[in-house]
Amino acid sequence: MIDMKGIIKRFYVGEPNELQILNGIDLQVKEGEFVAIVGESGSGKSTLMNIIGVLDRPTEGSYNLDGVDVEKLKDRDLSDIRNQKIGFVFQTFNLIPRTNALRNVELPMLYAGVPMGQRNRRAKELLEMVGMQERMDHQPSELSGGQKQRIAIARAMANDPAILLADEPTGALDSKTGRLVMDIFHDLHQKQGKTIVLITHSKELAAETQRIVTILDGRIIKDEKGVEEWHS
C-alpha cells in the first residue's frame, strides 16, 4: 500500500539556512496493516506524515501509494488521490464551522461528485457507525472534542479510502474519550480491514497497533511488532 525508498526532505533548498528534515526514509506498509509512527517533537514524523498523505512532495526518493508513482503526478492528480485514497484524521478535527455534522461528513463525497441522495445515505450510515447519528444536525460549536473527532473519523471514511492517516487523533482529548476514539480505529481495522497509519508521540497508544516504527532525527531507528489484539 505504501512503498517509500530513500525519502529525503529538505526545506529552503540551496539557501544558506537549508534544513534536511528526513534523511533517507525507507518505509513499506502492507494493505490491512495498523502501523504507528512514533517520535518526539522535531523527529520528522509530521513531515513524513505530510509526504505519506501527499500533502507535500519529497526532495529526493521514490514513493508508490497503492500502486501509483506519486512523483510523476501533477498537483490536481495529488488532490484527487487525497480525496479518494486517503482519509485524514487530525488532532484539531478540521471540521467546517457553521456546518452541521451531516454536511461535514458529506463534503468529501461532494468533491468526488457523488450524487446527493447517495451522499446523504452514506453520511448517515457513517455517523451511525461512530455513534453520532443523534448529533447529525449539530454544528461543531455544539459538540464536545470527542464528538467532533468521531465526526472527523466518519468524514475520513466518506469515500471508503484505501488508507486512514491519523495524526495525534487523541491528542486534544481526555483519556476516556481518547479510548473511545482508539476503539473506533481498532474496529475499522479489525472489522473492515482498513490500512491505518497512526502518528503519535504516545508509546502506550502505539503499543496497541500491529507495528511500531520509531523515528528520530529524520531516520527510522526501530521497526518492531506491537500487539493489536484489542477487543473493544
PDB file of all heavy atoms in Angstrom, residues 170-191:
ATOM      1  N   THR A 170      -5.918  11.498  19.321  1.00  0.00           N
ATOM      2  CA  THR A 170      -6.440  11.615  20.692  1.00  0.00           C
ATOM      3  C   THR A 170      -5.736  12.732  21.462  1.00  0.00           C
ATOM      4  O   THR A 170      -5.983  12.915  22.651  1.00  0.00           O
ATOM      5  CB  THR A 170      -6.254  10.284  21.454  1.00  0.00           C
ATOM      6  OG1 THR A 170      -4.852  10.025  21.567  1.00  0.00           O
ATOM      7  CG2 THR A 170      -6.913   9.126  20.731  1.00  0.00           C
ATOM      8  N   GLY A 171      -4.872  13.481  20.768  1.00  0.00           N
ATOM      9  CA  GLY A 171      -4.024  14.474  21.437  1.00  0.00           C
ATOM     10  C   GLY A 171      -4.781  15.562  22.178  1.00  0.00           C
ATOM     11  O   GLY A 171      -4.314  16.076  23.200  1.00  0.00           O
ATOM     12  N   ALA A 172      -5.976  15.930  21.685  1.00  0.00           N
ATOM     13  CA  ALA A 172      -6.734  17.029  22.309  1.00  0.00           C
ATOM     14  C   ALA A 172      -7.856  16.497  23.203  1.00  0.00           C
ATOM     15  O   ALA A 172      -8.722  17.252  23.635  1.00  0.00           O
ATOM     16  CB  ALA A 172      -7.315  17.928  21.223  1.00  0.00           C
ATOM     17  N   LEU A 173      -7.845  15.184  23.484  1.00  0.00           N
ATOM     18  CA  LEU A 173      -8.965  14.574  24.210  1.00  0.00           C
ATOM     19  C   LEU A 173      -8.527  14.052  25.573  1.00  0.00           C
ATOM     20  O   LEU A 173      -7.366  13.704  25.780  1.00  0.00           O
ATOM     21  CB  LEU A 173      -9.524  13.397  23.390  1.00  0.00           C
ATOM     22  CG  LEU A 173      -9.889  13.696  21.924  1.00  0.00           C
ATOM     23  CD1 LEU A 173     -10.321  12.422  21.231  1.00  0.00           C
ATOM     24  CD2 LEU A 173     -10.972  14.758  21.834  1.00  0.00           C
ATOM     25  N   ASP A 174      -9.487  13.963  26.496  1.00  0.00           N
ATOM     26  CA  ASP A 174      -9.176  13.326  27.786  1.00  0.00           C
ATOM     27  C   ASP A 174      -9.051  11.815  27.563  1.00  0.00           C
ATOM     28  O   ASP A 174      -9.418  11.295  26.508  1.00  0.00           O
ATOM     29  CB  ASP A 174     -10.256  13.652  28.830  1.00  0.00           C
ATOM     30  CG  ASP A 174     -11.625  13.129  28.442  1.00  0.00           C
ATOM     31  OD1 ASP A 174     -11.772  11.894  28.317  1.00  0.00           O
ATOM     32  OD2 ASP A 174     -12.554  13.937  28.254  1.00  0.00           O
ATOM     33  N   SER A 175      -8.541  11.104  28.578  1.00  0.00           N
ATOM     34  CA  SER A 175      -8.182   9.697  28.365  1.00  0.00           C
ATOM     35  C   SER A 175      -9.401   8.823  28.051  1.00  0.00           C
ATOM     36  O   SER A 175      -9.332   7.941  27.196  1.00  0.00           O
ATOM     37  CB  SER A 175      -7.432   9.143  29.580  1.00  0.00           C
ATOM     38  OG  SER A 175      -8.219   9.300  30.734  1.00  0.00           O
ATOM     39  N   LYS A 176     -10.533   9.097  28.682  1.00  0.00           N
ATOM     40  CA  LYS A 176     -11.733   8.280  28.443  1.00  0.00           C
ATOM     41  C   LYS A 176     -12.233   8.460  26.995  1.00  0.00           C
ATOM     42  O   LYS A 176     -12.548   7.495  26.299  1.00  0.00           O
ATOM     43  CB  LYS A 176     -12.829   8.694  29.437  1.00  0.00           C
ATOM     44  CG  LYS A 176     -14.061   7.817  29.369  1.00  0.00           C
ATOM     45  CD  LYS A 176     -15.101   8.289  30.377  1.00  0.00           C
ATOM     46  CE  LYS A 176     -16.415   7.531  30.143  1.00  0.00           C
ATOM     47  NZ  LYS A 176     -17.516   8.087  30.905  1.00  0.00           N
ATOM     48  N   THR A 177     -12.270   9.710  26.553  1.00  0.00           N
ATOM     49  CA  THR A 177     -12.718   9.997  25.180  1.00  0.00           C
ATOM     50  C   THR A 177     -11.705   9.474  24.179  1.00  0.00           C
ATOM     51  O   THR A 177     -12.069   8.940  23.125  1.00  0.00           O
ATOM     52  CB  THR A 177     -12.908  11.518  24.995  1.00  0.00           C
ATOM     53  OG1 THR A 177     -13.625  12.026  26.105  1.00  0.00           O
ATOM     54  CG2 THR A 177     -13.670  11.837  23.753  1.00  0.00           C
ATOM     55  N   GLY A 178     -10.423   9.620  24.499  1.00  0.00           N
ATOM     56  CA  GLY A 178      -9.358   9.098  23.634  1.00  0.00           C
ATOM     57  C   GLY A 178      -9.479   7.599  23.454  1.00  0.00           C
ATOM     58  O   GLY A 178      -9.263   7.063  22.364  1.00  0.00           O
ATOM     59  N   ARG A 179      -9.862   6.914  24.535  1.00  0.00           N
ATOM     60  CA  ARG A 179     -10.060   5.457  24.476  1.00  0.00           C
ATOM     61  C   ARG A 179     -11.170   5.096  23.476  1.00  0.00           C
ATOM     62  O   ARG A 179     -11.043   4.182  22.664  1.00  0.00           O
ATOM     63  CB  ARG A 179     -10.414   4.961  25.884  1.00  0.00           C
ATOM     64  CG  ARG A 179     -10.807   3.523  26.059  1.00  0.00           C
ATOM     65  CD  ARG A 179      -9.634   2.573  25.964  1.00  0.00           C
ATOM     66  NE  ARG A 179      -9.410   2.170  24.584  1.00  0.00           N
ATOM     67  CZ  ARG A 179      -8.209   1.974  24.045  1.00  0.00           C
ATOM     68  NH1 ARG A 179      -7.112   2.147  24.731  1.00  0.00           N
ATOM     69  NH2 ARG A 179      -8.092   1.593  22.807  1.00  0.00           N
ATOM     70  N   LEU A 180     -12.255   5.855  23.544  1.00  0.00           N
ATOM     71  CA  LEU A 180     -13.384   5.646  22.640  1.00  0.00           C
ATOM     72  C   LEU A 180     -12.954   5.793  21.180  1.00  0.00           C
ATOM     73  O   LEU A 180     -13.319   4.988  20.317  1.00  0.00           O
ATOM     74  CB  LEU A 180     -14.475   6.669  22.983  1.00  0.00           C
ATOM     75  CG  LEU A 180     -15.834   6.533  22.328  1.00  0.00           C
ATOM     76  CD1 LEU A 180     -16.531   5.265  22.798  1.00  0.00           C
ATOM     77  CD2 LEU A 180     -16.698   7.744  22.646  1.00  0.00           C
ATOM     78  N   VAL A 181     -12.159   6.831  20.913  1.00  0.00           N
ATOM     79  CA  VAL A 181     -11.682   7.099  19.552  1.00  0.00           C
ATOM     80  C   VAL A 181     -10.758   5.965  19.082  1.00  0.00           C
ATOM     81  O   VAL A 181     -10.875   5.479  17.953  1.00  0.00           O
ATOM     82  CB  VAL A 181     -10.995   8.482  19.487  1.00  0.00           C
ATOM     83  CG1 VAL A 181     -10.178   8.639  18.207  1.00  0.00           C
ATOM     84  CG2 VAL A 181     -12.042   9.590  19.578  1.00  0.00           C
ATOM     85  N   MET A 182      -9.861   5.516  19.945  1.00  0.00           N
ATOM     86  CA  MET A 182      -8.964   4.413  19.572  1.00  0.00           C
ATOM     87  C   MET A 182      -9.753   3.134  19.300  1.00  0.00           C
ATOM     88  O   MET A 182      -9.425   2.370  18.388  1.00  0.00           O
ATOM     89  CB  MET A 182      -7.923   4.159  20.665  1.00  0.00           C
ATOM     90  CG  MET A 182      -6.737   5.097  20.619  1.00  0.00           C
ATOM     91  SD  MET A 182      -5.812   5.065  19.044  1.00  0.00           S
ATOM     92  CE  MET A 182      -4.985   3.476  19.124  1.00  0.00           C
ATOM     93  N   ASP A 183     -10.820   2.906  20.079  1.00  0.00           N
ATOM     94  CA  ASP A 183     -11.650   1.716  19.855  1.00  0.00           C
ATOM     95  C   ASP A 183     -12.275   1.740  18.458  1.00  0.00           C
ATOM     96  O   ASP A 183     -12.414   0.699  17.811  1.00  0.00           O
ATOM     97  CB  ASP A 183     -12.753   1.615  20.923  1.00  0.00           C
ATOM     98  CG  ASP A 183     -12.197   1.181  22.283  1.00  0.00           C
ATOM     99  OD1 ASP A 183     -11.041   0.711  22.332  1.00  0.00           O
ATOM    100  OD2 ASP A 183     -12.915   1.329  23.288  1.00  0.00           O
ATOM    101  N   ILE A 184     -12.655   2.942  17.994  1.00  0.00           N
ATOM    102  CA  ILE A 184     -13.223   3.061  16.644  1.00  0.00           C
ATOM    103  C   ILE A 184     -12.173   2.659  15.599  1.00  0.00           C
ATOM    104  O   ILE A 184     -12.468   1.934  14.647  1.00  0.00           O
ATOM    105  CB  ILE A 184     -13.761   4.487  16.380  1.00  0.00           C
ATOM    106  CG1 ILE A 184     -14.977   4.769  17.262  1.00  0.00           C
ATOM    107  CG2 ILE A 184     -14.126   4.661  14.906  1.00  0.00           C
ATOM    108  CD1 ILE A 184     -15.456   6.217  17.232  1.00  0.00           C
ATOM    109  N   PHE A 185     -10.929   3.117  15.797  1.00  0.00           N
ATOM    110  CA  PHE A 185      -9.857   2.737  14.859  1.00  0.00           C
ATOM    111  C   PHE A 185      -9.648   1.222  14.851  1.00  0.00           C
ATOM    112  O   PHE A 185      -9.487   0.614  13.793  1.00  0.00           O
ATOM    113  CB  PHE A 185      -8.547   3.450  15.203  1.00  0.00           C
ATOM    114  CG  PHE A 185      -8.508   4.887  14.764  1.00  0.00           C
ATOM    115  CD1 PHE A 185      -8.367   5.910  15.689  1.00  0.00           C
ATOM    116  CD2 PHE A 185      -8.626   5.221  13.427  1.00  0.00           C
ATOM    117  CE1 PHE A 185      -8.347   7.235  15.288  1.00  0.00           C
ATOM    118  CE2 PHE A 185      -8.602   6.551  13.012  1.00  0.00           C
ATOM    119  CZ  PHE A 185      -8.464   7.554  13.948  1.00  0.00           C
ATOM    120  N   HIS A 186      -9.652   0.611  16.047  1.00  0.00           N
ATOM    121  CA  HIS A 186      -9.498  -0.850  16.106  1.00  0.00           C
ATOM    122  C   HIS A 186     -10.633  -1.559  15.375  1.00  0.00           C
ATOM    123  O   HIS A 186     -10.406  -2.546  14.668  1.00  0.00           O
ATOM    124  CB  HIS A 186      -9.422  -1.317  17.565  1.00  0.00           C
ATOM    125  CG  HIS A 186      -8.109  -1.024  18.222  1.00  0.00           C
ATOM    126  ND1 HIS A 186      -6.915  -1.586  17.792  1.00  0.00           N
ATOM    127  CD2 HIS A 186      -7.781  -0.216  19.256  1.00  0.00           C
ATOM    128  CE1 HIS A 186      -5.921  -1.137  18.539  1.00  0.00           C
ATOM    129  NE2 HIS A 186      -6.419  -0.302  19.435  1.00  0.00           N
ATOM    130  N   ASP A 187     -11.843  -1.048  15.531  1.00  0.00           N
ATOM    131  CA  ASP A 187     -12.994  -1.634  14.833  1.00  0.00           C
ATOM    132  C   ASP A 187     -12.826  -1.521  13.316  1.00  0.00           C
ATOM    133  O   ASP A 187     -13.094  -2.467  12.578  1.00  0.00           O
ATOM    134  CB  ASP A 187     -14.299  -0.927  15.247  1.00  0.00           C
ATOM    135  CG  ASP A 187     -14.877  -1.502  16.545  1.00  0.00           C
ATOM    136  OD1 ASP A 187     -14.349  -2.530  17.012  1.00  0.00           O
ATOM    137  OD2 ASP A 187     -15.829  -0.918  17.080  1.00  0.00           O
ATOM    138  N   LEU A 188     -12.404  -0.336  12.858  1.00  0.00           N
ATOM    139  CA  LEU A 188     -12.216  -0.122  11.410  1.00  0.00           C
ATOM    140  C   LEU A 188     -11.152  -1.065  10.859  1.00  0.00           C
ATOM    141  O   LEU A 188     -11.255  -1.564   9.739  1.00  0.00           O
ATOM    142  CB  LEU A 188     -11.829   1.329  11.132  1.00  0.00           C
ATOM    143  CG  LEU A 188     -12.944   2.362  11.320  1.00  0.00           C
ATOM    144  CD1 LEU A 188     -12.379   3.777  11.248  1.00  0.00           C
ATOM    145  CD2 LEU A 188     -14.028   2.184  10.267  1.00  0.00           C
ATOM    146  N   HIS A 189     -10.131  -1.300  11.671  1.00  0.00           N
ATOM    147  CA  HIS A 189      -9.053  -2.186  11.232  1.00  0.00           C
ATOM    148  C   HIS A 189      -9.501  -3.644  11.241  1.00  0.00           C
ATOM    149  O   HIS A 189      -9.329  -4.372  10.263  1.00  0.00           O
ATOM    150  CB  HIS A 189      -7.829  -2.007  12.135  1.00  0.00           C
ATOM    151  CG  HIS A 189      -6.719  -2.935  11.775  1.00  0.00           C
ATOM    152  ND1 HIS A 189      -6.215  -3.872  12.650  1.00  0.00           N
ATOM    153  CD2 HIS A 189      -6.032  -3.111  10.621  1.00  0.00           C
ATOM    154  CE1 HIS A 189      -5.267  -4.568  12.046  1.00  0.00           C
ATOM    155  NE2 HIS A 189      -5.143  -4.128  10.822  1.00  0.00           N
ATOM    156  N   GLN A 190     -10.095  -4.061  12.347  1.00  0.00           N
ATOM    157  CA  GLN A 190     -10.401  -5.478  12.515  1.00  0.00           C
ATOM    158  C   GLN A 190     -11.643  -5.910  11.745  1.00  0.00           C
ATOM    159  O   GLN A 190     -11.692  -7.013  11.204  1.00  0.00           O
ATOM    160  CB  GLN A 190     -10.556  -5.804  14.007  1.00  0.00           C
ATOM    161  CG  GLN A 190      -9.225  -5.694  14.748  1.00  0.00           C
ATOM    162  CD  GLN A 190      -9.375  -5.803  16.261  1.00  0.00           C
ATOM    163  OE1 GLN A 190     -10.472  -5.755  16.801  1.00  0.00           O
ATOM    164  NE2 GLN A 190      -8.251  -5.932  16.947  1.00  0.00           N
ATOM    165  N   LYS A 191     -12.648  -5.032  11.673  1.00  0.00           N
ATOM    166  CA  LYS A 191     -13.906  -5.437  11.030  1.00  0.00           C
ATOM    167  C   LYS A 191     -13.973  -5.048   9.554  1.00  0.00           C
ATOM    168  O   LYS A 191     -14.657  -5.694   8.779  1.00  0.00           O
ATOM    169  CB  LYS A 191     -15.099  -4.828  11.779  1.00  0.00           C
ATOM    170  CG  LYS A 191     -15.255  -5.393  13.192  1.00  0.00           C
ATOM    171  CD  LYS A 191     -16.377  -4.717  13.958  1.00  0.00           C
ATOM    172  CE  LYS A 191     -16.438  -5.246  15.386  1.00  0.00           C
ATOM    173  NZ  LYS A 191     -17.351  -4.473  16.233  1.00  0.00           N
TER     174      LYS A 191
END
